[in-house]
Amino acid sequence: MCERLAVEDIVHWAKAYKVDGFRFDIMGHLMVSSLTKMRAQLDALTLERDGVDGRMIYLYGEAWDFGEVAGNQRGRNCGQMNLAGTKLGAFNDRLRDGALGGGPFAPHYLQATCASNLRKYALLCKDGFTRAGEESQMHGLPLAYGAHPEENVAFIGCHDNQTLFDQISEKAPIMVLAEDRARMSAMSLTLIALSQGVPFFHAGDELLRSKSLDRDSYNSGDHFNRIDWTGADNNFGVGLPPATKNRSGWSYKDPLLVNTMIKPKPSHIQACEEGPLLVTNTTAKPKSGHIQACEVVRLLMRVRYSSPLFRMPSADHIYNQLHFHNLGPDQTPGVIVMEIASADTEARPPPAGPVRESEGGTVDPNYKRILVVFNCSPLEQKLEYPPYTKHMVMHSEQAAFDGVDAGRVRDECAAHDSIRMITMAPRTTGVFVELK
């Protein structure tokens, strides 16, 4: 009866109120059978009969496997390991933990997420062996577990957890200044925005939002949860967070919260918001004394939507067209090099997973290939061109930007055809293209 109530309610809200997506808190406590019934009934909705195309409605949630349902004790639950092939979205903690807590040679948490967390996607590991995502381990479980891009929700922070800035505040060395913490935050947003699958941004992360290190703020009120949309203040250091979930950390949180070298200035917030890492062109400029809220996300989305290669619709396309370089025993730590080739580009690396011969591919009308370099390290990097690439130029959006950090990016990030090298500034994401 409860299952019927849930399924019929979701269908009713979709038809009557045109809700185009549903997120399930602690989705792992629901059964796969219930969500697949829901998915099937939504898929049956049509514009002509119901006024809504149910196939476009997205279902996702927290697929954590714990409590009384852990290990399928009460049936096949919606835990991460059970969702391959269901097309149900799940928050991917591999990106979250890899970006903020993984070691420099961790088993490719970030690459796996950029490739949509596909369990069959293979990567050359630090030990020299090539393994599919399901063969590598994270927290005692397979690193990758998905079968379709839409099953991957790429995120780092969300809802009542710590904000991105707060996580960086706790984990970065104490001597790292606010300017570099802002750069780390923007760096993290580029990892979310340019991953295959579904990007998920925590409200206020583009403004360096802080909850003063509150790790579970659902009942903490506006004092800790507020967002200053003007960008004048990020809410860091407004007091020790409530004792309920934070008392055990007060001893280290207190000195952090009073450290004036950590708290960002409005100029840092504006620089992060305008996108100092993945800088893209925009005609919208902040008004005097005000910040264009969410502009960094808008900028990142412009780059994401500049090419269908950032949003490939099937696992086969990703296996065949997305490849990583700087892998294996000789890899440079902290640098991710991702190549995405148009399906009609013949010169490209071999598939990274099983591809059906009948499957076509994603074609970009403008680019032969896109090369994204995430330099997460604090050092400038010089990288060789990947094989097959010829004439690389900076993405037109990035090259045309004239905002806060544009001069540094143009001076320190470049593709050099004559020597087949790319130079990358510290903690910077660069997007380069080979034109058709």
Side-chain angles (χ1 to χ4, degrees), residues 158 210 326 334 355 381:
C158 67
S210 170
N326 187 42
V355 178
Q381 299 292 342

Side-chain angles (χ1 to χ4, degrees), residues 306-378:
S306 71
S307 171
L309 299 180
F310 287 119
R311 312 180 314 279
M312 291 189 281
S314 79
D316 287 348
H317 293 198
I318 295 171
Y319 291 141
N320 204 27
Q321 297 176 237
L322 189 149
H323 305 88
F324 292 97
H325 305 279
N326 187 42
L327 299 173
D330 299 324
Q331 65 183 269
T332 300
V335 181
I336 299 171
V337 182
M338 179 174 70
E339 174 188 352
I340 320 173
S342 180
D344 56 357
T345 300
E346 294 184 1
R348 61 175 187 255
V355 178
R356 295 171 292 182
E357 293 184 5
S358 61
E359 186 72 28
T362 300
V363 176
D364 189 301
N366 302 309
Y367 307 134
K368 289 184 178 180
R369 73 187 80 243
I370 298 174
L371 191 70
V372 183
V373 182
F374 303 93
N375 181 13
C376 306
S377 78

Side-chain angles (χ1 to χ4, degrees), residues 43-96:
D43 288 346
L45 300 180
T46 66
L47 283 170
E48 296 75 18
R49 185 183 65 245
D50 307 293
V52 61
D53 183 356
R55 296 170 301 176
M56 303 302 294
I57 296 173
Y58 191 51
L59 301 180
Y60 74 107
E62 299 170 318
W64 317 133
D65 186 37
F66 71 97
E68 72 279 5
V69 300
N72 299 318
Q73 295 178 75
R74 298 193 176 183
R76 186 180 172 219
N77 69 320
C78 289
Q80 290 174 333
M81 298 302 117
N82 291 331
L83 295 184
T86 64
K87 297 188 177 182
L88 300 171
F91 284 105
N92 183 358
D93 53 344
R94 277 65 171 154
L95 173 59
R96 180 197 66 191

Side-chain angles (χ1 to χ4, degrees), residues 8 21 61 71 166 168 193 425 432:
E8 292 184 355
D166 283 346
I168 291 172
F432 303 90

